[in-house]
């Protein structure tokens, strides 16, 4: 018993740490599949021993709330679902009853409360007992109604998710491989819990209702409840009514569809359609008895690990990447997977020549599921593979990482420069990482300001491999164009941890676009800005306190033309008008460009249509989208881009 209790204690600690990193820090120290395997093993140990340790994830649900968002207890616990991977188990569970089979969307569970027809509160599931109040963010979700045609108190539970298309679009704006979001679920979790809802609005979070916790008292079946809230303007999860006779066919239909489904799903949910019958069954300490989850079986392929390569980043982290013999997974060929950190490398005992199984997490991100031979023969380098400088192991809360400590490492420089020239930063067109690497290697670029002085190396650049006179002229022209810029772009380009495009805009606005105020703002002043916390403020001030950083910023100021116009750059044409944008654009490169035009003219943008919306911009005026329907219900004008431009011209 003593040995089993020790194993259980170690397993509880590992699973809780993995859940903490996954749910709170948007990272990953073990794969989802490995977590499920270890969890199931713990359940078996608990059954055999009759012992459940304090803190076991088998009796605790969800993540612990740690953000600065307000907290609130749920009226009744929100339990997690028991699960199975066997279709036949669902059939046996259903017995002779009717059920509702629906997607199990992979996002963040949210509870919306409406009173007198108005959205008054939105709370995350949190740990099942206490959630975080995210009402401000929910108001900018892509598709929820802010008002409904019902005066009763209504509480709707559903899943906040980000589509695969939006996930890919957002990841394309993140230049560093290790900084990219691992999956839509992690991105959605961080987005929904932002303190600055401008970021939430930009990421197009969507909400799909799956149950009614209060209200709709006249409805006695789950499908009637979903039909009811759908009639009020909510989008609901896709569902089908099933019996034991057709449930296996419907499961297969969902399995076929998930390959191309636009929303992330990690399985299905089956619940009894009869609400009173479901309630009569009660619940266990952790699971309700009226519903059960079905998890997809990941497509696993066995292959051979050929090597671990080490990839440095602009932050200094040197990330292990597994390279293996190519295999076909979910319709594409894959040959490498991120191992994330040294801790995972050691836990999996990875080594060259090992037989491994691989899969795609959420059908997108290649992952190693299991190491079948576990040789552990990989040597962790003590030198950076790029600069040859010292690489050291660091332990942060039990997670080991490898870090290059050479501040002049070219890899750091190239990744940093790639961020500096990216679209949302200085937007210097035509400067790929390959070109930056050539410029850095040739000694032409040592710091960001050098990118605006390339005329000094005209002959050398023209003679560079892959270049010529025309390429040189395009590059210099792009840099000259980018030199006319704004304070928020400069701030974002510096790569200060936590300061992306949205936060840079917020800080610049708080400083009335005065660059001297932006670079000299105090920690206290920063923390008074909505969405800026203590950690971010401390790192921000420390960045500008560093003498090397200050010198680089000084040099940038000498080559840039920073437009500090604040109020004067608004002509007032659209002052006070709120616009919502949806659909494809024809005249603007992207929605950010259109939003920028609206804001310069004094208008505002929002993510969802409400009674306060002035116009909905949609080139497909006759579409049946949720936003179009809502606009028509509220009498909000729907205009095309051409009509918007006419409005702009006055």
């Amino acid at each position: 018993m003593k040995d089993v209790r020790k194993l259980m204690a170690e397993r509880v600690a590992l699973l809780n740490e993995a859940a903490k990193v996954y749910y709170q820090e948007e990272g990953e120290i073990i794969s989802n599949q490995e977590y499920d395997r270890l969890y199931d093993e713990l359940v078996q140990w608990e059954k055999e021993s009759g012992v459940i340790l304090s803190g076991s994830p088998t009796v605790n649900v969800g993540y612990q709330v740690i953000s600065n968002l307000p907290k609130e207890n749920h009226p009744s616990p929100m339990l997690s679902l028991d699960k199975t991977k066997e279709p036949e188990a669902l059939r046996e569970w259903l017995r002779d009853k009717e059920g509702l089979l629906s997607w199990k969307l992979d996002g963040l569970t949210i509870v919306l409360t409406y009173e007198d027809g108005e959205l008054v509160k939105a709370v995350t599931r949190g740990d099942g007992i206490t959630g975080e109040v995210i009402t401000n963010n929910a108001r900018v979700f892509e598709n929820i109604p802010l008002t409904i045609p019902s005066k009763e108190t209504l509480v709707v539970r559903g899943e906040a998710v980000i589509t695969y298309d939006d996930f890919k679009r957002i990841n394309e704006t993140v230049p560093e491989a290790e900084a990219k979001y691992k999956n839509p679920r992690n991105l959605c979790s961080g987005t929904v819990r932002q303190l600055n809802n401008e970021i939430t609005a930009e990421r197009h979070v969507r909400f799909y209702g799956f149950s009614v916790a209060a209200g709709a008292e006249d409805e006695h079946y789950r499908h009637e409840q979903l039909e009811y809230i759908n009639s009020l303007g909510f989008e609901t999860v896709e569902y089908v009514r099933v019996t034991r006779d057709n449930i296996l066919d419907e499961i297969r239909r969902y399995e076929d569809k998930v390959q191309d489904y636009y929303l992330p799903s990690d399985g299905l949910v089956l619940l009894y359609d009869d609400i009173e019958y479901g309630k009569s069954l009660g619940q266990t300490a952790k699971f309700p008895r009226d519903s059960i989850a079905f998890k997809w079986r990941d497509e696993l392929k066995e292959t051979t690990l050929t090597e671990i390569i080490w990839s440095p980043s602009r932050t200094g982290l040197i990330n292990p990447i597994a390279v293996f013999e190519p295999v076909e997974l979910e319709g594409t060929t894959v040959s490498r997977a991120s191992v994330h950190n040294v801790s995972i490398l050691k836990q999996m005992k990875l080594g060259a020549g090992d037989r491994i199984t691989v899969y795609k997490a959420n059908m997108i991100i290649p992952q190693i599921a299991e190491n079948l031979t576990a040789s552990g023969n990989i040597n962790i380098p003590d030198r950076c593979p790029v600069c040859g400088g010292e690489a050291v192991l660091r332990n942060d809360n039990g997670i080991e990482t490898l870090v290059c400590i050479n501040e002049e490492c070219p890899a750091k420089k190239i990744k940093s420069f790639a961020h500096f020239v990216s679209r949302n930063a200085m937007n210097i067109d035509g400067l790929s990482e390959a070109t930056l690497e050539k410029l850095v290697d040739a000694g032409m670029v040592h710091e960001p300001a050098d990118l605006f002085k390339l005329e000094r190396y005209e002959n050398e650049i023209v003679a560079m491999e892959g270049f010529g006179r025309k390429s040189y002229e395009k590059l210099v022209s792009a840099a000259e164009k980018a030199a006319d810029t704004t304070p928020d772009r400069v701030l974002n380009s510096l790569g200060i941890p936590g300061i992306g495009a949205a936060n840079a805009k917020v800080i610049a606005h708080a400083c009335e676009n005065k660059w001297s105020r932006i670079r000299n703002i105090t920690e206290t002043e920063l923390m008074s800005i909505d969405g800026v916390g203590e950690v971010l403020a401390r790192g921000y001030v420390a960045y500008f306190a560093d003498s090397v950083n200050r010198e680089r910023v000084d040099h940038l100021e000498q080559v840039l033309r920073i437009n500090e116009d604040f109020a004067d750059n608004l002509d007032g044409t659209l002052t006070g008008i709120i616009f919502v944008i949806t659909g494809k654009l024809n005249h603007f490169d992207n929605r950010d460009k259109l939003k920028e035009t609206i804001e310069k003219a004094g208008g505002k943008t929002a993510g969802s249509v409400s009674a306060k919306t002035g116009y909905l911009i949609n080139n497909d005026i006759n579409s049946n989208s949720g936003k179009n329907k809502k606009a028509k219900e509220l009498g909000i004008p729907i205009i095309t881009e051409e009509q918007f431009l006419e409005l702009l011209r006055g």
Side-chain angles (χ1 to χ4, degrees), residues 177 305-313 317-324 335-342 345 350-352 368 378-381 383-386 402:
L305 179 68
T306 55
E307 63 175 325
I308 296 290
I309 60 175
W310 298 86
S311 175
S313 71
L317 285 175
I318 305 175
N319 302 292
I321 297 174
V323 180
F324 44 82
S335 60
R336 57 177 58 198
S338 172
V339 187
H340 302 304
N341 54 55
V342 174
L345 185 81
L350 294 174
I368 298 176
I378 294 296
N379 293 319
I380 299 169
R383 294 286 166 185
C384 172
V386 173
L402 186 65

Side-chain angles (χ1 to χ4, degrees), residues 218-229 273:
D218 294 335
E219 315 302 339
H220 302 294
Y221 294 91
R222 297 289 185 184
H223 78 271
E224 292 177 344
Q225 285 189 337
L226 293 179
E227 288 171 2
Y228 173 67
I229 63 174
D273 197 17

Side-chain angles (χ1 to χ4, degrees), residues 142 385 573:
E142 191 84 355
T573 306

Side-chain angles (χ1 to χ4, degrees), residues 433-480:
E433 280 198 26
T435 299
L436 287 167
E437 188 172 351
K438 290 178 181 179
L439 296 175
V440 171
D441 288 347
M444 301 176 197
V445 174
H446 299 278
E447 60 176 305
D450 292 338
L451 292 169
F452 300 91
K453 304 175 184 177
L454 295 176
E455 297 94 331
R456 298 179 297 177
Y457 303 104
E458 177 180 350
N459 294 332
E460 292 90 334
I461 293 174
V462 169
M464 276 171 46
E465 183 181 352
F467 263 74
R469 174 65 53 189
K470 195 170 183 180
S471 297
Y472 163 78
E473 290 174 352
K474 280 186 177 180
L475 184 56
V476 171
S477 175
E480 175 63 19

Side-chain angles (χ1 to χ4, degrees), residues 603-623:
K604 297 180 180 179
T605 59
S608 58
V609 176
S610 72
K612 295 180 180 179
T613 304
Y615 296 92
L616 171 64
I617 300 175
N618 186 355
N619 286 319
D620 186 0
I621 289 179
N622 297 315
S623 82

